[in-house]
């Protein structure tokens, strides 16, 4: 599918690889991923949405069970 977008949008951002340039990807290390996660994945920056046959209380219980350990705010400056 990436080849289709490349051919359609050759000189546009839409034509770029989804994962990025292979040389840039090779420069990513574990610390960079951990720092990104810590800076962006925290409670005040997340939204939980439920659809279908799920009660509000069931959704709240599942969210507390699976996301209670996530800090409410970012711990990075």
């Amino acid at each position: 599918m990436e080849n289709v977008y490349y051919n359609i949008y050759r000189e546009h951002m839409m034509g770029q690889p989804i994962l990025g340039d292979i040389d840039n990807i090779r420069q990513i290390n574990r610390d960079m991923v951990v720092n990104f996660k810590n800076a962006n994945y925290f409670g005040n920056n997340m939204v939980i949405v439920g659809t279908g046959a799920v009660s509000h209380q069931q959704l709240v219980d599942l969210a507390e069970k699976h996301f209670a350990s996530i800090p409410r705010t970012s711990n990075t400056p």
Side-chain angles (χ1 to χ4, degrees), residues 2-66:
E2 283 187 16
N3 289 337
V4 171
Y5 281 100
Y6 174 75
N7 287 319
I8 295 171
Y9 302 108
R10 195 173 300 258
E11 300 299 324
H12 188 272
M13 276 308 285
M14 291 288 292
Q16 301 303 310
I18 294 171
L19 295 175
D21 182 64
I22 192 68
D23 293 328
N24 289 338
I25 294 169
R26 288 185 175 135
Q27 292 179 16
I28 297 173
N29 60 41
R30 183 185 186 283
D31 289 337
M32 293 168 76
V33 173
V34 169
N35 289 338
F36 179 85
K37 183 234 175 225
N38 290 338
N40 295 286
Y41 286 78
F42 53 91
N44 287 344
N45 208 22
M46 297 174 74
V47 175
I48 296 174
V49 177
T51 62
V54 58
S55 72
H56 175 75
Q57 190 57 51
Q58 183 182 15
L59 184 61
V60 170
D61 293 343
L62 287 169
E64 288 175 349
K65 177 181 176 183
H66 294 285

